[in-house]
Amino acid sequence: AAGANRLMMVRVMEELFNQGKLAVADECCTRDYVHHGPQGVDSRGPQGLKDSVLSMRTVFPDLRFIVDEQTTTDDRVALRWTVSGTHSAEWMGVPATGRRITLRGVSTSSVAGGKLSETWANWDVLDALQQLGAAPAMAKGAAAAG
């Protein structure tokens, strides 16, 4: 099952997120799938995930996820990933800037019956806002000095 879960996640990241093939959500998520993001905004079910992907691909039309590391068991998948894209529509209250940003994050997903049942994703929201020029950048070493 771990091998099948690994292949499923490759499809989700490459076909669903990178290529926008929304039907993959129906094939790879349980009916009661829940996605938890760092802002506390959850999407529910395959349709919720499709809506989130559509929104992300509208904001970042050249959205590209790269899986840096993946650990898979029979009922869990953990990813360390890098995502990049050009900010082309309002996101997190920030009007389109045309800036290309790159973020790193991690996600862990539970798998039930060969499908994703729940995902917890985390990435640095402050870093995203700083790259968009919507938050002041901290001086190097300032966090360590505190």
Side-chain angles (χ1 to χ4, degrees), residues 89-144:
E90 183 179 326
W91 185 55
M92 295 194 301
V94 180
T97 63
R99 292 183 182 189
R100 183 161 180 80
I101 68 169
T102 300
L103 300 169
R104 286 166 189 78
V106 294
S107 58
T108 48
S109 299
S110 298
V111 180
K115 294 186 175 193
L116 298 176
S117 59
E118 188 169 27
T119 298
W120 294 85
N122 200 353
W123 45 273
D124 190 337
V125 176
L126 178 58
D127 182 34
L129 292 171
Q130 288 172 335
Q131 289 185 53
L132 296 176
M138 292 179 62
K140 290 198 182 295

Side-chain angles (χ1 to χ4, degrees), residues 77-94:
V77 178
L79 301 176
R80 186 174 51 81
W81 44 263
T82 302
V83 63
S84 59
T86 304
H87 181 222
S88 303
E90 183 179 326
W91 185 55
M92 295 194 301
V94 180

Side-chain angles (χ1 to χ4, degrees), residues 42-64:
D42 296 348
S43 64
R44 297 187 179 277
Q47 187 59 52
L49 183 57
K50 288 187 223 180
D51 293 345
S52 293
V53 169
L54 263 176
S55 175
M56 288 173 56
R57 292 183 56 78
T58 299
V59 173
F60 301 100
D62 55 350
L63 181 78
R64 179 82 182 139

